[in-house]
Amino acid sequence: MKTHFKNLNTSFFLGLFMIISSNIFAQDSKRGKNILEIGAGISMPNFSTTPDGEAFAGSGSNISFSYEREIISRKKEWLTLGARYLTTSNPYSHLNEDIALFQSTNPTLNFTGTSDNYKLSSFLVGCGFYNYLGKKENFTLFIKAYLGTGALTSPAQSIKASNGAYVNISEITKNSFIYTGSAGINYNFTKKIALGVNFEYIKGSFLFVNQNVSFANGTTTQDPYTINYSNLCLSTALSFRF
């Protein structure tokens, strides 16, 4: 019985894939009402702590997956509603400075350090406006606005001395409201396949409390702090209509 249901599930998803792919690659003049998009690129952050502070995250990467549905349509223009998953990853950029600070106060010791990345995972809903450019409609200009919830992870960090002393900061994740705005242009290979480039700005504010800081002689809790998250992403994306 289990094998029977497994075969049915496999057949169902295989059939669904074939229907979607046949619609995407069909060479007709009609664009589909649904859009699937996969994007990736470079993220250029400007994190700071309140009330203000120096940026402490370096350039990293972003990945996004989105689904949009065309709700208002004209020949050259259309409006969509959509949902998407967006994630960014950016390294902590001051690790070498932190090590140098410890080294300057303890010149007889050698220090090493490690740090994970700042990571944002978000689920968003929003709308998009598209407009064909030119008579041949080879290009599409678009703008999008999305909002939702994001989970930002402040990374684990560790600095160790040659005498065995250490400072470890634990990883911590907090949730907050975020919003994004983007603009870009697609090159249309067909009515149903396009490759695009876009700029996207991401904004949010995350309050972190009870982040543990461990020393060789004990553990303490870091004072609450806020990360004013802002990130500018340059991405390329492949989209399919069906």
Side-chain angles (χ1 to χ4, degrees):
M1 183 66 70
K2 289 183 179 179
T3 302
H4 176 68
F5 280 111
K6 184 177 180 181
N7 290 336
L8 284 177
N9 288 334
T10 302
S11 299
F12 171 78
F13 286 111
L14 181 59
L16 182 62
F17 171 76
M18 292 177 67
I19 292 171
I20 293 175
S21 60
S22 65
N23 276 275
I24 288 174
F25 292 103
Q27 298 298 314
D28 58 39
S29 60
K30 295 180 180 180
R31 63 174 188 258
K33 295 287 187 180
N34 304 286
I35 305 172
L36 290 178
E37 185 177 273
I38 303 172
I42 301 171
S43 63
M44 298 161 281
N46 184 27
F47 300 168
S48 65
T49 54
T50 56
D52 53 35
E54 186 179 0
F56 50 79
S59 296
S61 61
N62 71 86
I63 299 173
S64 67
F65 303 91
S66 67
Y67 166 78
E68 295 175 78
R69 172 71 179 179
E70 191 175 302
I71 57 169
I72 299 176
S73 177
R74 295 182 179 178
K75 185 176 180 181
K76 287 184 172 290
E77 303 163 346
W78 60 94
L79 184 69
T80 64
L81 290 179
R84 62 194 298 243
Y85 172 75
L86 170 67
T87 180
T88 65
S89 180
N90 299 92
Y92 176 62
S93 60
H94 285 191
L95 180 62
N96 290 335
E97 295 177 19
D98 293 344
I99 293 173
L101 179 62
F102 278 96
Q103 192 73 62
S104 65
T105 56
N106 300 274
T108 60
L109 300 176
N110 292 320
F111 290 85
T112 58
T114 59
S115 176
D116 294 334
N117 290 354
Y118 289 93
K119 296 177 181 178
L120 174 72
S121 298
S122 59
F123 294 93
L124 308 158
V125 293
C127 60
F129 174 77
Y130 293 78
N131 185 26
Y132 278 137
L133 299 178
K135 292 183 179 180
K136 294 183 178 181
E137 301 179 350
N138 289 333
F139 295 92
T140 305
L141 185 68
F142 63 85
I143 56 173
K144 301 179 184 181
Y146 279 76
L147 54 85
T149 181
L152 180 64
T153 298
S154 184
Q157 301 171 28
S158 177
I159 296 179
K160 298 180 180 180
S162 54
N163 67 348
Y166 62 83
V167 178
N168 292 330
I169 301 177
S170 65
E171 177 182 283
I172 187 170
T173 300
K174 294 298 179 182
N175 297 295
S176 180
F177 169 82
I178 67 169
Y179 59 90
T180 75
S182 64
I185 189 169
N186 284 338
Y187 175 74
N188 305 308
F189 295 105
T190 70
K191 289 285 187 179
K192 297 187 176 183
I193 304 176
L195 180 65
V197 178
N198 73 87
F199 282 98
E200 180 170 26
Y201 179 71
I202 310 168
K203 182 66 177 178
S205 182
F206 297 83
L207 174 62
F208 290 87
V209 295
N210 300 325
Q211 186 171 21
N212 290 328
V213 181
S214 302
F215 300 92
N217 58 353
T219 300
T220 185
T221 299
Q222 198 173 67
D223 292 335
Y225 65 95
T226 298
I227 291 181
N228 293 320
Y229 182 92
S230 60
N231 212 329
L232 179 64
C233 298
L234 172 62
S235 305
T236 58
L238 189 62
S239 58
F240 305 94
R241 303 184 66 103
F242 60 97

